[in-house]
Amino acid sequence: MEQFQYQQGSLACEGVALSEIAATYGTPVYVYSERSIRERFEALEQAYASVPHLVCYAMKANDNLSIVRLLAGLGAGADIVSGGELFRARRAGVPADRIVFAGVGKSRAEIAQAIDEDVLLLNVESMDELDAISEVARQKGRVARVAARVNPDVDPHTHPYISTGLRKNKFGVPADRVIEVYRRARDDQYLHPLGIQMHIGSQLVHVQPIADAVERLVELVHRLRVEGVDLHYVDVGGGLGIRYRDEEPEGPTDLAAKILPAIRELGVTLLCEPGRYIVGASGALLTRVLYRKENGAKKFVVVDAAMNDLIRPSLYDAYHEIRSVRQCDGEEIVDVVGPICESGDFFAHDRLLPGVQPGDLLAIMSAGAYGFAMASNYNARPRPAEVMVSGTQHRLIRRRETYQDLLRAEEGL
Ligand SMILES: Cc1ncc(COP(=O)(O)O)c(C=O)c1O
């Protein structure tokens, strides 16, 4: 499945040397492997093949239109969290009846947009939100299909910022209040409760916490049937982890083995919302070494990418493997840092790297998820280009921003 490999001493993505990508499009640049995205999507499809299911790609991981279009073409739906993502999903060709809308703070305008588009499910996170959905649906004379997002109070054992299924987190309806939400929805002619959903966190290397939470959902589905609420969809969220360093993450087949028997018995359609699993390891951020410098005992490699391009190390203290594109000799311990005026602007601290020199290229690996999607214009830096590789072909899927792009929303006021 690994599509970034050394070929004749030079790192390549599928059949294209990363040095060719840098020469063609400049740096920093995100590079994605189409084959990797396809293979990982297919792995999910195969794992869940024995039950009716729909893989709703979590667009927040990477909402590039070409990537979403590719996945839509393979049969994926989309998990969205904003009106903007709904707009992009539709633009990329995702059918509305394959879109699920999550999020703790949907505005009335976003709810109206989702009802107009007739998305498959609005995932409700509070009684207040259910009231808002009902009100908007009534104004439109429409019926909104809803699912409650359950907070199952299960510890996913991941970074606190991406842990979402504990009682102390802002997400979901506590399991002991879910029945109340469904009674309210059942008795409202503008609401149709049709699903139940959860998402307990991201980058989970063990699937047992997901399976434990699914067990709670299954119990709730049974209790709701007694209440006269017959749910057709059980959405188990995203969260499957990938390898950034030396993790040995469990994958979709491990999860399927634990949850499919209960899903099959319920006779429901399984929904899932993977993001990182599909695109994380399918992308790398390619950057060029600008300078080397030493401050006392510390050695720095200054590169042309920065925290505005990839914020995960700064935000989560996340580890990303860094490879020299040119296989070179020597070993040294360095900090890899960007040009931004923050000490938090780093990609690695005290990292053992080969002796790279100004002009060399580095690949920051597993940057396909929450990489470009979280990029900003901080320090008035235009965001990087994005390139898709397919076999021996490569193509631009987002051009590098220009200085003019930086001014666009302010001009002519
Ligand atoms: C509701 C919801 N679904 C799916 C995901 C995707 O998670 P991941 O990229 O870990 O699969 C997230 C991410 O935070 C989320 O909040």
Side-chain angles (χ1 to χ4, degrees):
M1 265 194 181
E2 170 60 271
Q3 299 300 342
F4 291 86
Q5 305 270 11
Y6 284 100
Q7 294 169 13
Q8 285 119 39
S10 178
L11 191 59
C13 175
E14 301 191 25
V16 178
L18 293 182
S19 53
E20 183 182 330
I21 301 281
T24 310
Y25 306 102
T27 55
V29 58
Y30 277 95
V31 187
Y32 307 107
S33 157
E34 182 174 324
R35 191 182 297 152
S36 173
I37 295 172
R38 282 177 185 278
E39 282 180 358
R40 298 183 74 90
F41 178 78
E42 293 304 337
L44 288 155
E45 280 292 321
Q46 275 171 24
Y48 303 134
S50 67
V51 296
H53 67 276
L54 176 63
V55 177
C56 295
Y57 169 59
M59 280 181 60
K60 66 173 74 64
N62 189 322
D63 64 8
N64 183 287
L65 290 181
S66 297
I67 291 178
V68 181
R69 204 175 287 130
L70 167 67
L71 288 165
L74 297 174
D79 159 48
I80 59 161
V81 288
S82 69
E85 283 191 355
L86 176 52
F87 175 71
R88 291 182 77 85
R90 298 291 291 128
R91 215 22 106 77
V94 184
D97 64 1
R98 291 194 194 160
I99 296 178
V100 292
F101 193 171
V104 70
K106 299 174 199 76
S107 69
R108 278 177 167 69
E110 288 175 318
I111 292 168
Q113 188 187 349
I115 291 175
D116 285 343
E117 291 275 2
D118 205 15
V119 301
L120 176 62
L121 288 169
L122 279 142
N123 294 337
V124 180
E125 304 229 6
S126 64
M127 198 64 106
D128 275 6
E129 188 195 345
L130 192 69
D131 289 341
I133 295 171
S134 165
E135 191 186 305
V136 176
R138 180 168 46 76
Q139 282 160 4
K140 291 183 174 294
R142 300 276 296 274
V143 175
R145 285 178 295 274
V146 294
R149 174 173 179 170
V150 179
N151 181 323
D153 197 26
V154 167
D155 190 347
H157 302 290
T158 188
H159 190 285
Y161 288 7
I162 48 175
S163 168
T164 53
L166 284 167
R167 210 174 243 283
K168 66 179 180 188
N169 300 132
K170 69 179 175 184
F171 299 98
V173 179
D176 54 8
R177 302 206 49 198
V178 168
I179 301 282
E180 236 176 283
V181 169
Y182 280 100
R183 282 186 187 138
R184 157 89 180 77
R186 177 197 62 193
D187 297 338
D188 186 322
Q189 59 175 310
Y190 297 102
L191 299 174
H192 186 186
L194 210 53
I196 191 162
Q197 189 255 1
M198 57 167 247
H199 171 77
I200 59 169
S202 197
Q203 183 52 15
L204 311 189
V205 289
H206 299 292
V207 296
Q208 192 58 45
I210 307 181
D212 291 344
V214 171
E215 212 177 298
R216 293 188 191 175
L217 254 55
V218 170
E219 280 166 29
L220 283 165
V221 173
H222 283 300
R223 280 180 60 196
L224 285 163
R225 283 186 178 164
V226 177
E227 296 274 339
V229 178
D230 190 18
L231 302 181
H232 295 192
Y233 299 97
V234 171
D235 183 338
V236 302
L240 292 173
I242 61 168
R243 185 182 197 135
Y244 284 103
R245 190 179 204 156
D246 50 9
E247 303 92 334
E248 300 277 353
E250 292 181 296
T253 40
D254 302 294
L255 181 60
K258 289 183 195 287
I259 66 170
L260 290 199
I263 297 288
R264 198 174 295 117
E265 204 191 314
L266 280 182
V268 293
T269 295
L270 174 76
L271 304 180
C272 62
E273 306 169 350
R276 190 189 310 271
Y277 178 81
I278 296 176
V279 289
S282 304
L285 174 60
L286 189 57
T287 181
R288 199 175 285 282
V289 176
L290 295 173
Y291 307 111
R292 298 177 50 99
K293 64 180 280 185
E294 293 184 20
N295 281 0
K298 201 106 178 129
K299 286 185 182 173
F300 294 93
V301 170
V302 184
V303 296
D304 64 1
M307 65 189 281
N308 75 296
D309 303 308
L310 175 66
I311 203 175
R312 297 190 70 260
S314 313
L315 187 61
Y316 309 121
D317 205 16
Y319 183 99
H320 282 264
E321 187 192 347
I322 299 180
R323 295 188 198 162
S324 169
V325 169
R326 173 180 68 89
Q327 266 180 321
C328 49
D329 295 332
E331 270 189 350
E332 57 180 347
I333 293 190
V334 297
D335 279 15
V336 179
V337 300
I340 280 185
C341 303
E342 304 258 354
S343 293
D345 180 24
F346 67 90
F347 293 113
H349 283 141
D350 299 322
R351 185 70 62 87
L352 186 66
L353 279 190
V356 292
Q357 297 302 321
D360 276 336
L361 292 166
L362 297 179
I364 304 175
M365 307 305 296
S366 295
Y370 309 102
F372 189 93
M374 293 176 107
S376 75
N377 292 121
Y378 187 41
N379 275 206
R381 287 170 54 87
R383 285 179 295 174
E386 294 178 284
V387 170
M388 182 69 83
V389 171
S390 182
T392 55
Q393 309 292 311
H394 50 88
R395 66 191 168 95
L396 198 59
I397 57 169
R398 192 179 204 277
R399 67 165 171 79
R400 184 177 305 287
E401 287 180 346
T402 63
Y403 288 160
Q404 211 51 45
D405 291 326
L406 298 178
L407 303 181
R408 225 173 5 179
E410 297 164 58
E411 271 176 341
L413 296 177

